Amino acid sequence: MAIYKSDGVDAVNVFPSKFITVYCTGAVNAGDVVELDFSATRSTNQSTDAFGISVKKAAATGNLPFACGVAAATLTAAGYVQIQYAGYCNTVTPDAAIAAGLPVGTDNTTAGRIQAYTGNVSDTAGFFGVVVDAYVTGAGTNDGAIFLFDKGFFNA
């Protein structure tokens, strides 16, 4: 997947992204960060509840290592949902204003949000994206954008 393409011929910029449909074990809103759900048990119906294949809304815990994408639709109960797991994403909301260029992880106060990553940036497990358009307004607004890193959890 190309990271970014700026076309000098027709001046069309392309921000590629990757999506996949996965089983979500609970309610989630469009724009919420999701994480792998390891609470589901393996059964014969692995398309819905195989261990580690399902996702859930990311908990209110800072820098979760299994954050894997952003929900593209709202679910009111468990079911299949499309998530974006790589590329340019302008639907996720932060816990505060975040400057461009900063890595982001999951928010430690509000489930499903992002915050500026505060750990050691050489430890890449804790952050899953970088701000490419600054979040200026602050908490709960998606006036910016991040670039999601493909952590390799999905092969779509």
Side-chain angles (χ1 to χ4, degrees), residues 4-86:
Y4 170 77
K5 174 188 124 351
S6 179
D7 191 337
V9 176
D10 59 7
V12 175
N13 295 328
V14 176
F15 299 100
S17 54
K18 291 182 178 180
F19 291 84
I20 190 167
T21 300
V22 293
Y23 189 78
C24 186
T25 58
V28 67
N29 295 316
D32 283 345
V33 176
V34 295
E35 64 176 308
L36 295 178
D37 186 353
F38 291 106
S39 66
T41 56
R42 189 174 293 278
S43 75
T44 56
N45 189 8
Q46 291 186 7
S47 65
T48 60
D49 63 355
F51 186 79
I53 293 175
S54 302
V55 298
K56 64 182 177 180
K57 183 175 183 173
T61 303
N63 307 321
L64 290 167
F66 292 111
C68 60
V70 176
T74 297
L75 289 179
T76 57
Y80 286 96
V81 67
Q82 188 177 54
I83 64 167
Q84 181 179 351
Y85 68 97

Side-chain angles (χ1 to χ4, degrees), residues 85-97:
Y85 68 97
Y88 183 86
C89 177
N90 62 358
T91 60
V92 68
T93 57
D95 73 330

Side-chain angles (χ1 to χ4, degrees), residues 64-68 85-86 124-129 149-154:
L64 290 167
F66 292 111
C68 60
Y85 68 97
T124 59
F127 60 89
F128 63 96
F149 302 133
D150 184 350
K151 287 188 164 185
F153 294 135
F154 307 106

